[in-house]
Amino acid sequence: MSAASVLRFTSKRRSLVAPLIGSYRNHYQHRSLSVLAASSTSNGHGDSHSNNQYRFQYSYQTLAAIAAGGSAAALLSTSSSSAVASCEKKKVEAPPVGDPFPLQPPKNKEVVGPKGIPSRAEQIRRLKSSSKQDDPSDDQYDVLVIGGGATGAGIAFDAATRSNLPSGLKVACIERGDFASETSSRSTKLIWAGIKYLASASAALLSWDLLTSPVTTVKDFYSEFSMVFNCHQERKYMMDKQQHLTNWVPIVCPFTEWNIWPPPFGHPIFSFFPVLAPAVFKFYDALSQFTCPPSYIMTKKEARTKFPQLSDQDIKYCAVFYEGQHNDARTNIAIALSAAEKGAHIANYVEMTDGIFDEDSGKVIGVKAQDRISGETFEIYAKNIIFAGGPFTDKLRSKEEKEGGTVPPAVQGASGSHIVLPGYFAPKDMGLLDYNTSDGRFLFFLPWQGSVIVGTTDKKCDAETLPYPPEEEIQWMMKEVEKYLSNDLKVRRSDVLSAWRGWRPLAADPHAPPGGQVSRDHVISKNPSSGVTFIAGGKWTTWREMAEDVLDKVLGDKAGTCNTLDIKLHGGEGYHKSLSTQLIQKYGVSEEVANHLVKTYGGRVWEVVEKCKPTGKQWPRYGVQLVEGYPYIEAEIRFACQEYACTIEDVLSRRTRLAFLNSEAAQEALPRVADIMAEELGWNKATKKEQIKCAQKYLAAYGGRIPYEDGVALRFLAHEDAMDMFREIDRDGSGFIDPQELKEIATRLGNPLDDKQLKELFRTIDTDKNGKISADEFVAWINAEQSKNDVKRYLHATATVIFEEIDTDQSGFLDKAELKAVTVRLGEDFTDKEIKKIFKEMDTDKDGKISLQEFIAWMDKENDKTGFRKLLASNMQDNNMQGAWLDEKTPKGVTIKRKYTNSGSFLG
C-alpha cells in the first residue's frame, strides 16, 4: 500500500481524522481570534473576554479533533525538533527555519523621531555619509559598534557622552534586528546583584582546593566576589538613577527544614542555609551599603497572610530579600534612544554583511552594511570597531577575517527558558526563589507586568534567534514551582500563557596568552590581526560597567572621562511619582494604563498620550486598549513607530510585551497593530500582508497553552487539561456532551459532520450507550490506544510522502546529493559538512544509502541537532500536504521528477 493510500485509508476509517492532523494546524494558526471571540460570546452565557477568550483558544485543538470525527489522534501532530538538542516545535505550526527577519524590505516611509531625537531614516542617512567621501578617513567614526543589545547600545551611549576630549567622539551603532531582539529582551527581568555567585564563590573557597591550590582558589574567590560587589554598585546605579524604569521586588525563600541534604552548591556548610540565611542576606544588603530595602524574616503566620499561595504545611519560616526589577526590552530601548539623543548614529535593522579590509595591513577599517528596511547597501568606516553580539559574537567574528580565514571560537551559548503564568499564582508585589531545585539551579517565581514569570533553566547549546522553548523545560519548571504552592493551587499545562527561551554568552578570550587568568565576568579581546575588539559575557545588571570597560581599553589614553553614572536614561527627565495621577486627571485614562505608561516612558509619557484617541466610553475617556486584560493602548503603536519600530513583531514583543506575557493575546492584537503600523509607515496591501505573515510565524515560536511535541512521541494530555476541553465542548454546562453540541462545534470549526458521521462518532465515545457523553467517557476516548496507533500509522505514512519527494531519481534510496538538493529547493543551502552529518545519522546500516525504513526511523527520533527534519516538516505542514509541497519552494529552472504525481496522493 502506498503512502498516499495509507493516508486515504486512515482518513476514511477514522472519519477524516488523519487529514485533520495537518489541516487543524493551519486552521488554528491562521484563523483570526476575532472569529473565535464571535463564537465565544454568542453562546448565551455572556462569558467575559478575559475569563473565556484564551481558554477557548486553548480548547481549539480538541474541537478540531471533534470535527474530525475520529480518535484523539487529531490532538497530536507531526513535528520535529529544532537545530538544538531537545528543542521542540509547536503543534499549531512549525516556527520558521532560517532567517527570522526575511529580507523583503517593506520600504517604510520616514516617521519623525521622539522630541530631540533624529528619525530612523535620518540616522540611516548619517550612517551612509561616511561612505560618500573620496577619502573615507575624512569622515570616519571614532567608534563603530556592531550589536544593539544592552551592551552594544550601552557602548554607543557611553561613547557619545564622554568628556575631557579635544572634540567629542563620533559614534555609530548598528543592529541587524530590533534593539533587544535577542538575549536582552529574554532575561528573568531582574537587576540582581548575584546572590547565587556569592554562594558559589564561598563554596569554592571552602573546598579542598583551598588546601591543594590555595593561591588559585583565593584568586578565583576574589574575582567572583569582586564581580558580585560590582553588581551591587551597578544595581544601586540603576535603582537610584533610573527609577522610571525600575522597581524593587521582595523575594521569599521558604524553608521547610532546618537541615538540607543533599546541600545546595554541593557543600556541607550550605546544608545549614536555613539557619544561616538571615545573616547571609544581611551581608548581601551590606554589599550595597544598605541602600536597598532591608531583608527580613517572615514567620509562618505572616507568610500565610502576605503570600497566601504558599503551601504552609511544612514551612518553618521565610527569609525575604530584595532585588531590582525592570522591563528589560524597554530599558534596552531607553539606552539606545539615549545614545541617539546624545548624538550617536544608531539604527536597528542594519546588518553588517562583511568587513572592509585595508589593502596593506589587512586590518578591518570598516564594514559593509545593508539597511534591511530599504534594502540599500552602504559602507561604514571607523577607527575602532567593537563587536557586541552576545551569543552570536562568533558569527560576527567570522566576518573580520578575509575569505578563507577562520577565527578560534570564543563564545558559547547557554539557553534559559521562562514560562509566564496568570497573576493569581503569586502576590502582585512579592516573588519566590527556589534556591535548591532538583538539579541544583536557581528558579525565580516573580510577579511581572500583572503576570507571574518563572525561570530560568540553564543548558549549553548553540544560540538561535527564535524564542521557542523545549517542552521538557516547561514541564520541569511547572513541576518545581508546585512543590512550594498550596495543594489547592495546581499549575496546569493550560496555565502557561507564554514561554520563551534566550541565550546568554559564556565567553573566553581566544587571544589571551597561555596561562592567562580566565575571566568569570565579561571578556574583552582584541584580534591583533584584524584590529577588531569584541566584548561578551557579563550580566544585564552590569551593562554600564561593561560599556565603560571596553571603551577604556579600546581608546586607551584617548578615552576621556566616562559620565554615564550621572546621566538619566531616556524618559528619566520629567519623571516623578505622581506623574500617573496627573495623566489620569488630564486625559482620563484608567489607573492601570496610567501606571503602565509612566513606568514605560517616564517623563516622555506626554508624547504618548497626546496620540490617544477617545474611547467613546464614560470611563476611561482616552486610551483605546489593544486587547482586553492588558494595559497596552493603540497610541503606543503610533509612538513606537517614532521610536524606530519597523515590524509588527517589534511592537508585540518589545514595544509592548504582549507576546512575552500571553502569546494568544498577541495573536489577537496582531491585526489591529498591522492596521495602525500600515497607516504610520505607509505600507501598501502587499507589504502589510507580508508583515502579518512574518509576525505570525515569529509569534508561533513563543510557547503557550498548547504543548510542544517532538517527532512521533505521543504525549497525551493530562486529565485536568482534558477536563478543561470537555467543559469547553459542554456549552450548556450540563455535565454531559450531547449530539447537538458535537455538531455545533464541528460546524464552528468549518468541518461539519453529516448525520452518519455524527452518529458513528457519538456511538464510539458513548460507551455506556445512554445517549450522552460523560467526562470520564470523553477522557477515555482522548487517551484510547487506538488513537495512538492511528497517529503513528499516519505519521509514518507522512514520512513516506516526504521520502518520495526527496527521492527525485526514484531509486528507492536517498543519497547525499538528494539531501543537499532538497535543502536548496526549500531555501536553506546546508553545507557539505552538515549534509554529511545528516547522512551519517540516517544511514544506520552503513551501506552508503538511506532506505525508506532508515528514513522513517530517523524521523521518529526525538532530537534533531541539524535542523534538517524541522526544515522538511515545517514546509510540508505549511502547505498542509495539499498539492506538491515543494513546488512553491523550488527555484525556477529546476525540474523535479515525482513518482506519485498521478496516484491521487497529496502530491498530485
Side-chain angles (χ1 to χ4, degrees):
M1 184 180 291
S2 71
S5 299
V6 170
L7 293 173
R8 292 197 306 274
F9 172 77
T10 307
S11 300
K12 180 183 293 186
R13 187 167 64 84
R14 299 304 296 169
S15 303
L16 307 179
V17 67
L20 194 74
I21 292 176
S23 69
Y24 104 84
R25 239 192 224 99
N26 291 321
H27 190 96
Y28 173 77
Q29 175 66 18
H30 298 298
R31 184 173 179 177
S32 169
L33 279 174
S34 61
V35 176
L36 299 184
S39 301
S40 179
T41 54
S42 63
N43 60 20
H45 295 288
D47 295 333
S48 70
H49 174 93
S50 58
N51 291 331
N52 193 53
Q53 173 72 20
Y54 303 118
R55 180 176 160 190
F56 181 84
Q57 175 76 345
Y58 173 60
S59 300
Y60 199 63
Q61 57 177 325
T62 294
L63 307 188
I66 298 299
S71 69
L75 290 171
L76 304 175
S77 56
T78 62
S79 60
S80 56
S81 59
S82 78
V84 178
S86 299
C87 181
E88 299 165 341
K89 286 193 320 81
K90 255 187 173 177
K91 292 198 292 185
V92 289
E93 180 177 323
V97 179
D99 188 359
F101 306 111
L103 187 56
Q104 297 180 1
K107 301 185 185 299
N108 298 345
K109 76 176 184 181
E110 183 168 355
V111 180
V112 298
K115 291 179 182 178
I117 297 176
S119 67
R120 181 187 179 277
E122 175 59 27
Q123 295 283 33
I124 297 296
R125 287 191 287 269
R126 295 179 181 183
L127 287 168
K128 291 162 65 177
S129 66
S130 73
S131 64
K132 295 180 179 180
Q133 307 296 320
D134 294 333
D135 182 3
S137 63
D138 292 342
D139 199 32
Q140 64 183 329
Y141 289 98
D142 294 298
V143 176
L144 169 60
V145 185
I146 313 298
T151 303
I155 296 169
F157 171 56
D158 186 327
T161 56
R162 292 256 165 164
S163 60
N164 294 329
L165 293 166
S167 60
L169 295 174
K170 187 176 181 182
V171 184
C173 177
I174 59 174
E175 161 61 45
R176 74 175 295 268
D178 189 22
F179 302 121
S181 59
E182 302 287 355
T183 302
S184 295
S185 62
R186 305 179 196 175
S187 72
T188 313
K189 322 306 176 191
L190 287 178
I191 305 173
W192 74 312
I195 184 68
K196 176 182 177 180
Y197 301 105
L198 180 64
S200 62
S202 301
L205 180 66
L206 299 175
S207 68
W208 285 107
D209 292 341
L210 185 61
L211 298 178
T212 59
S213 306
V215 175
T216 301
T217 303
V218 172
K219 282 184 177 180
D220 288 348
F221 171 78
Y222 179 77
S223 175
E224 194 98 336
F225 184 81
S226 297
M227 180 191 69
V228 174
F229 181 78
N230 289 338
C231 284
H232 275 270
Q233 309 319 304
E234 294 301 316
R235 185 185 70 173
K236 180 177 182 295
Y237 154 75
M238 286 295 293
M239 302 307 295
D240 291 349
K241 202 72 176 178
Q242 317 302 340
Q243 294 183 23
H244 63 298
L245 297 169
T246 63
N247 61 274
W248 289 104
V249 58
I251 300 175
V252 173
C253 276
F255 297 107
T256 57
E257 50 191 335
W258 296 110
N259 183 271
I260 304 171
W261 201 267
F265 304 101
H267 197 287
I269 193 172
F270 287 103
S271 64
F272 299 102
F273 184 58
V275 179
L276 301 173
V280 169
F281 287 129
K282 282 302 177 185
F283 178 72
Y284 195 65
D285 295 346
L287 292 175
S288 292
Q289 296 85 50
F290 296 101
T291 56
C292 59
S295 58
Y296 62 93
I297 291 174
M298 190 163 63
T299 66
K300 180 176 179 177
K301 183 178 180 179
E302 290 172 324
R304 189 181 296 115
T305 301
K306 294 183 178 181
F307 206 133
Q309 295 88 346
L310 277 180
S311 171
D312 60 357
Q313 291 182 355
D314 301 315
I315 290 180
K316 308 299 182 185
Y317 82 101
C318 297
V320 183
F321 71 106
Y322 284 81
E323 290 288 8
Q325 191 177 48
H326 68 150
N327 177 349
D328 51 4
R330 184 62 204 176
T331 302
N332 195 156
I333 293 168
I335 297 169
L337 293 174
S338 298
E341 191 174 6
K342 298 300 181 180
H345 299 169
I346 183 170
N348 54 352
Y349 289 100
V350 177
E351 181 177 12
M352 171 188 172
T353 58
D354 205 352
I356 301 174
F357 301 89
D358 182 81
E359 294 181 0
D360 298 326
S361 66
K363 292 186 181 297
V364 178
I365 57 174
V367 303
K368 296 178 182 179
Q370 183 172 39
D371 178 7
R372 300 175 70 89
I373 301 304
S374 69
E376 296 178 305
T377 60
F378 50 93
E379 297 175 342
I380 307 173
Y381 291 87
K383 300 174 185 176
N384 299 285
I385 298 174
I386 302 172
F387 289 160
F392 302 94
T393 296
D394 280 350
K395 292 184 179 180
L396 289 175
R397 294 175 58 237
S398 66
K399 298 175 182 179
E400 68 178 88
E401 294 291 331
K402 291 186 177 180
E403 189 173 349
T406 58
V407 293
V411 180
Q412 181 181 10
S415 73
S417 297
H418 297 80
I419 61 174
V420 173
L421 303 174
Y424 53 70
F425 276 101
K428 65 178 182 178
D429 57 356
M430 181 172 284
L432 180 147
L433 169 63
D434 183 354
Y435 58 90
N436 194 28
T437 60
S438 59
D439 62 358
R441 314 178 204 176
F442 265 31
L443 189 72
F444 286 98
F445 183 81
L446 304 165
W448 183 68
Q449 303 274 311
S451 298
V452 174
I453 182 173
V454 181
T456 179
T457 59
D458 188 5
K459 178 186 291 184
K460 291 182 180 179
C461 56
D462 293 336
E464 296 181 351
T465 286
L466 293 172
Y468 53 90
E471 177 63 23
E472 62 186 23
E473 296 195 358
I474 293 176
Q475 298 287 349
W476 179 83
M477 286 185 280
M478 291 170 55
K479 181 180 178 182
E480 291 295 324
V481 163
E482 276 196 333
K483 68 185 182 184
Y484 287 110
L485 295 179
S486 169
N487 292 331
D488 298 328
L489 196 62
K490 299 294 184 183
V491 181
R492 303 170 304 175
R493 184 60 182 81
S494 57
D495 290 320
V496 177
L497 302 179
S498 186
W500 73 88
R501 178 166 62 156
W503 280 261
R504 63 186 179 92
L506 304 176
D509 187 353
H511 306 116
Q517 185 176 359
V518 177
S519 173
R520 294 178 180 270
D521 199 359
H522 59 267
V523 169
I524 299 171
S525 179
K526 183 174 182 178
N527 186 337
S529 300
S530 67
V532 175
T533 301
F534 80 82
I535 180 169
K539 295 152 189 66
W540 229 118
T541 307
T542 59
W543 69 269
R544 192 212 62 82
E545 178 194 26
M546 293 169 65
E548 179 181 3
D549 195 5
V550 70
L551 283 172
D552 286 347
K553 291 186 178 181
V554 168
L555 299 175
D557 56 5
K558 297 180 181 179
T561 303
C562 174
N563 298 301
T564 50
L565 279 172
D566 301 319
I567 303 174
K568 291 182 179 180
L569 293 175
H570 181 77
E573 299 297 334
Y575 168 80
H576 52 84
K577 293 184 179 180
S578 60
L579 190 54
S580 59
T581 303
Q582 292 180 354
L583 281 187
I584 296 170
Q585 292 175 337
K586 183 173 181 178
Y587 284 91
V589 298
S590 70
E591 182 178 1
E592 183 185 20
V593 169
N595 290 334
H596 153 67
L597 293 177
V598 169
K599 290 304 293 184
T600 302
Y601 304 98
R604 293 275 182 163
V605 70
W606 300 109
E607 297 178 52
V608 181
V609 293
E610 285 171 3
K611 299 179 179 295
C612 283
K613 292 185 178 181
T615 63
K617 302 177 183 178
Q618 185 174 357
W619 187 265
R621 299 197 309 274
Y622 285 87
V624 179
Q625 286 183 261
L626 268 180
V627 62
E628 191 173 338
Y630 294 90
Y632 305 113
I633 59 175
E634 292 184 355
E636 292 182 82
I637 305 172
R638 302 184 189 280
F639 189 66
C641 294
Q642 293 184 227
E643 289 191 327
Y644 302 6
C646 298
T647 71
I648 297 171
E649 191 268 327
D650 293 345
V651 170
L652 292 174
S653 291
R654 288 170 295 280
R655 301 313 192 280
T656 71
R657 305 311 306 272
L658 201 51
F660 281 81
L661 293 170
N662 190 321
S663 57
E664 292 167 5
Q667 289 280 3
E668 182 185 4
L670 192 156
R672 183 56 184 152
V673 172
D675 290 342
I676 296 174
M677 293 191 76
E679 293 175 19
E680 296 293 317
L681 299 177
W683 294 340
N684 57 30
K685 289 184 179 179
T687 300
K688 178 181 172 182
K689 182 179 179 181
E690 184 63 28
Q691 283 280 316
I692 290 174
K693 181 180 177 182
C694 291
Q696 286 174 330
K697 284 208 168 189
Y698 199 100
L699 292 178
Y702 286 93
R705 299 173 189 262
I706 301 173
Y708 286 69
E709 296 293 344
D710 189 318
V712 296
L714 306 183
R715 298 177 184 168
F716 282 77
L717 298 164
H719 178 80
E720 292 181 5
D721 293 325
M723 286 301 300
D724 267 356
M725 296 177 177
F726 175 86
R727 285 187 285 267
E728 181 58 48
I729 300 167
D730 178 25
R731 305 298 284 173
D732 61 8
S734 65
F736 297 92
I737 297 174
D738 59 45
Q740 185 61 29
E741 285 171 326
L742 288 186
K743 189 170 185 176
E744 287 176 356
I745 286 169
T747 301
R748 287 163 61 191
L749 289 171
N751 290 284
L753 300 172
D754 60 33
D755 291 341
K756 183 178 179 181
Q757 290 172 324
L758 178 65
K759 185 176 181 180
E760 179 184 353
L761 170 63
F762 197 87
R763 186 169 55 243
T764 300
I765 307 174
D766 181 23
T767 54
D768 64 5
K769 311 303 178 186
N770 67 348
K772 53 187 178 182
I773 299 170
S774 67
D776 289 341
E777 287 173 325
F778 178 79
V779 173
W781 172 71
I782 288 287
N783 291 288
E785 188 64 30
Q786 180 63 52
S787 300
K788 299 179 183 179
N789 294 334
D790 285 344
V791 172
K792 178 154 286 193
R793 182 184 179 90
Y794 175 75
L795 296 181
H796 286 183
T798 303
T800 303
V801 172
I802 298 176
F803 179 91
E804 291 165 351
E805 280 282 5
I806 302 173
D807 181 23
T808 53
D809 63 6
Q810 304 178 34
S811 65
F813 296 93
L814 303 183
D815 55 34
K816 294 177 184 177
E818 288 173 324
L819 295 184
K820 174 78 171 179
V822 76
T823 68
V824 175
R825 287 153 65 191
L826 292 174
E828 289 289 325
D829 189 1
F830 278 44
T831 65
D832 291 341
K833 183 178 180 180
E834 290 172 323
I835 294 297
K836 184 177 180 181
K837 183 177 181 180
I838 296 167
F839 192 88
K840 184 178 179 181
E841 287 182 3
M842 292 186 187
D843 185 21
T844 54
D845 62 7
K846 310 302 180 186
D847 64 350
K849 55 186 179 182
I850 300 166
S851 66
L852 174 61
Q853 289 72 27
E854 287 175 321
F855 182 77
I856 290 176
W858 181 81
M859 290 290 284
D860 281 355
K861 290 171 61 178
E862 292 190 2
N863 294 331
D864 178 25
K865 295 183 178 180
T866 61
F868 182 61
R869 182 175 53 193
K870 179 174 66 174
L871 177 67
L872 298 177
S874 63
N875 282 281
M876 190 169 186
Q877 290 162 8
D878 284 345
N879 288 276
N880 197 25
M881 301 193 307
Q882 303 300 314
W885 63 289
L886 281 171
D887 279 348
E888 296 181 7
K889 305 291 183 178
T890 303
K892 292 182 179 179
V894 177
T895 302
I896 302 174
K897 297 180 180 179
R898 286 198 175 80
K899 189 175 181 179
Y900 296 96
T901 301
N902 299 313
S903 68
S905 74
F906 291 109
L907 307 180

